[in-house]
Structure formats: C-alpha cells, structure tokens
Amino acid sequence: MYLVAAAWLYVTLMMAVAEAAAPNGSLLGAFFTFVLYGALPLSVVLYILATPARKRARRARERQELEAAARSSAHPPNGGGHAPGGTEDGAVAPVREKP
C-alpha cells in the first residue's frame, strides 16, 4: 500500500515540476498541482484504508485497560452476588413504598 502511495506522490511531484518548468507555468500552479492531485487525495485514501488498523488498535487498547482494571481490583463492585446493604452509619433513610 505504501509503495503505491510513494509512486503516486512521485508522479504528482513530476507533474508539478513539469508545471513549474513549462513556459507559461508558475510555481503557484505547480504547488496546487501537487497538493490537489497528490497530497490531499492520497491523505484521504490512506486515512480510509487505515481505518481497520485503527479500530484493531483501539480495541486492543481497551482490552488491555479492562484486563489491567480486573487485575488491579481485588474485589470487584458487588462481586459477591448479594444485594447491597445499608450504609455504615445509617444516615441514608430507606425508601418507603406507597400504601
């Protein structure tokens, strides 16, 4: 993939050189030829083609974070399978049901 990208940049660079060296060409025209025919479309294509790799990297990073969190916590929250109990000092009143 990168070989094709490098070849395309070479072709557009040669187009820009031909534009600059032409009798009625200009450096501004050569610059826009390189940017609009080479760099900008190639960057969009490479960004789109790299999407699966970015997704894999993000998933691997998230998986590592979850594994690290699971290793670091000795007692996961509510891991005992029991209903949560009341507060230690009893400062929070229980919820009443309407009659």
Side-chain angles (χ1 to χ4, degrees):
M1 178 171 75
Y2 293 117
L3 181 64
V4 173
W8 181 248
L9 280 179
Y10 177 76
V11 167
T12 56
L13 181 66
M14 291 299 109
M15 289 172 57
V17 168
E19 172 72 26
N24 58 352
S26 67
L27 290 177
L28 184 64
F31 172 75
F32 281 113
T33 297
F34 181 73
V35 170
L36 296 179
Y37 281 116
L40 185 66
L42 188 63
S43 65
V44 170
V45 167
L46 289 178
Y47 180 80
I48 290 171
L49 290 177
T51 299
R54 284 193 313 274
K55 283 183 181 179
R56 279 192 304 271
R58 187 183 73 227
R59 287 182 186 147
R61 186 176 57 245
E62 289 172 354
R63 191 177 328 113
Q64 287 177 352
E65 289 172 358
L66 286 175
E67 289 172 358
R71 281 191 305 257
S72 67
S73 64
H75 302 288
N78 200 12
H82 300 286
T87 59
E88 294 295 324
D89 59 357
V92 178
V95 178
R96 291 184 168 184
E97 292 183 12
K98 292 184 179 181

